[in-house]
Amino acid sequence: MLDIVLFRSGPAVCGIEARHVGTSRLCVAGDEAPATIESVLGLAPVRPRAPVRLALRAAGGMREVLADGPLELLRVEVTDIVPLPPLIEAMKRSTTLKGLAVAGDRVLALFGPADGGAGF
């Protein structure tokens, strides 16, 4: 089993392995806005509808980003995770997009550190 933290990026449901996530909290008025999760993951920008601050593991510690909530913790069977199809792998614009998972009736885009380990 693998624990995945789910978040939204526009209409897409995305996930990051929970071991790469530290904390989360709701954004409050007056907060200085950190980078968006889309800018960190190399995705097209979207306007968050329900922004939360999400701390991701980075090479030098933790890095806060804005993500679109609500967040959800999902336990996924390793057998439900598949590599990207060759055409998507060849055309992907994000070095952090690692694979797909099927969880019930949802298909999730799974992201991980671009370098394969140190962090986002």
Side-chain angles (χ1 to χ4, degrees):
M1 295 285 237
L2 197 62
D3 289 330
I4 305 291
V5 174
L6 300 183
F7 61 93
R8 305 322 180 257
S9 177
V13 178
C14 305
I16 295 176
E17 190 177 349
R19 70 185 176 102
H20 294 297
V21 178
T23 61
S24 68
R25 65 183 174 97
L26 294 175
C27 289
V28 295
D31 267 357
E32 183 179 323
T36 65
I37 191 116
E38 288 81 14
S39 66
V40 172
L41 298 180
L43 302 173
V46 298
R47 195 169 103 182
R49 292 179 303 273
V52 294
R53 286 177 173 268
L54 187 62
L56 298 180
R57 186 177 314 281
M62 298 305 280
R63 174 183 188 180
E64 273 198 337
V65 297
L66 284 182
D68 198 10
L71 300 179
E72 179 183 347
L73 183 62
L74 178 69
R75 185 160 279 175
V76 176
E77 293 286 343
V78 174
T79 56
D80 292 334
I81 299 172
V82 297
L84 295 172
L87 183 58
I88 294 175
E89 181 68 45
M91 297 178 65
K92 74 178 184 178
R93 293 179 296 212
S94 171
T95 58
T96 60
L97 179 59
K98 302 300 183 183
L100 303 173
V102 178
D105 60 349
R106 300 187 283 186
V107 175
L108 315 169
L110 299 178
F111 293 86
D115 64 4
F120 291 91

